[in-house]
Amino acid sequence: MFDLAGKIAVVTGGSRGIGRATCVALAEAGAYVLVNYRANAEAAEETLRLIQEAGGQGELLGFDVADPEAVDQAIKQAYDKHGKIDILVNNAGISINQLLLRVSPKDLEMTWATNVNGAIFCAKACIKTMMRKRFGRIINLSSVVAESGNPGQVVYSASKAALLGVTRTLAREYASRGITVNAIAPGFIETDMTSELTEAARAGLVEQTPLGRIGRPEEVAAAVVFLASDEASYITGQVVRVNGGMHV
Ligand code: NAD
């Protein structure tokens, strides 16, 4: 439905879950997808295989989003090869779940390094290339808990709320350059990140979800494709909530 032919997209954390589904959906819409991964090249290869199976094109781009030099180097390499980067999806994220009294400085440091700093490093590296073309789409994966809060997720929800601040600020900073910046706040989505929840916890989350089920990664990916498309050209600084009504 949405045509991304000729667009170059970078998806961080593309080796599994929402990132993988996003890579495939962007490629199906016609984008050439650079599948970022940190350590698991084999899983990223599988994403690339799924892209090709869907008739799309892409390649792997390994780097740790928390390492600013590695980010700059990889994005430069991609820019030198493709001449532009149109779409950045800041999807890479980690979730360390602890009640406040158990939170350690290390938990904060690690979460911030990937969820907040990583998104800023990637945006900074890509925005220079987008400004040259006066076109860009940055889509940040936040979370329902950024707005609703959730016991046991003080660090994670804070990092995802910070990402909304990043989104709103960059939207204002780069609107005049033809770059839109939006966030997606998924609810409870079936991925490796949520697979460790107990049956009771899952049932509780489903109960809080008016649509009465867990979401699929493809349902988040569809919102990414829309925000990346020309049809979303007048949307910036917004939060698209893909949460089955969990938070309204
Ligand atoms: P996931 O754990 O399955 O995948 C996360 C990916 O990020 C993995 O491929 C991982 O290797 C990668 N990653 C982590 N740290 C990285 C780093 N430093 N550099 C590069 N890559 C790194 O998670 P998911 O469920 O697919 O979630 C994707 C995004 O959506 C995350 O930002 C997550 O916080 C967010 N989210 C997920 C849910 C959910 O219910 N699954 C809900 C709300 C928000």
Side-chain angles (χ1 to χ4, degrees):
M1 191 165 60
F2 300 110
D3 185 8
L4 300 180
K7 299 280 197 264
I8 306 292
V10 174
V11 180
T12 66
S15 61
R16 67 185 207 188
I18 293 170
R20 174 179 281 173
T22 297
C23 288
V24 174
L26 288 170
E28 276 176 336
Y32 185 95
V33 180
L34 305 177
V35 181
N36 163 253
Y37 67 97
R38 181 182 40 180
N40 196 342
E42 212 174 299
E45 286 283 1
E46 175 60 10
T47 299
L48 195 55
R49 195 191 64 73
L50 292 168
I51 285 174
Q52 287 159 353
E53 194 178 85
Q57 285 183 293
E59 66 191 47
L60 302 191
L61 191 64
F63 61 88
D64 180 344
V65 300
D67 177 345
E69 279 167 23
V71 171
D72 282 349
Q73 206 179 340
I75 297 301
K76 182 180 181 312
Q77 180 194 317
Y79 179 74
D80 288 347
K81 182 167 175 188
H82 298 286
K84 61 177 187 164
I85 290 164
D86 302 292
I87 301 162
L88 167 67
V89 184
N90 277 318
N91 164 79
I94 61 168
S95 163
I96 299 174
N97 301 329
Q98 291 287 10
L99 294 168
L100 176 65
L101 292 176
R102 291 177 183 236
V103 167
S104 71
K106 186 87 187 148
D107 296 337
L108 272 164
E109 201 183 298
M110 282 174 64
T111 305
W112 236 258
T114 293
N115 295 10
V116 185
N117 300 356
I120 292 176
F121 296 149
C122 292
K124 188 180 171 195
C126 290
I127 215 131
K128 293 179 207 155
T129 78
M130 293 173 172
M131 281 165 65
R132 282 188 203 120
K133 297 282 174 191
R134 299 193 76 79
F135 178 88
R137 295 276 192 267
I138 298 178
I139 298 149
N140 296 322
L141 267 293
S142 178
S143 168
V144 63
V145 302
E147 297 181 304
S148 66
N150 194 30
Q153 292 199 305
V154 60
V155 177
Y156 178 73
S157 66
S159 74
K160 292 298 180 179
L163 202 47
L164 296 184
V166 171
T167 303
R168 290 170 177 136
T169 295
L170 297 186
R172 288 181 183 275
E173 222 167 277
Y174 295 100
S176 65
R177 311 299 182 104
I179 300 166
T180 67
V181 187
N182 290 290
I184 294 180
F188 180 28
I189 310 296
E190 187 72 71
T191 68
D192 289 311
M193 190 179 265
T194 49
S195 64
E196 282 165 18
L197 291 169
T198 62
E199 275 310 312
R202 295 167 82 82
L205 287 165
V206 168
E207 203 175 319
Q208 289 172 44
T209 307
L211 284 178
R213 64 175 176 84
I214 300 170
R216 291 181 287 110
E218 293 74 19
E219 292 174 308
V220 180
V224 177
V225 172
F226 168 63
L227 288 174
S229 73
D230 287 343
E231 283 78 359
S233 53
Y234 201 53
I235 302 176
T236 196
Q238 304 303 311
V239 183
V240 175
R241 300 173 178 87
V242 184
N243 63 20
M246 187 181 228
H247 179 71
V248 292

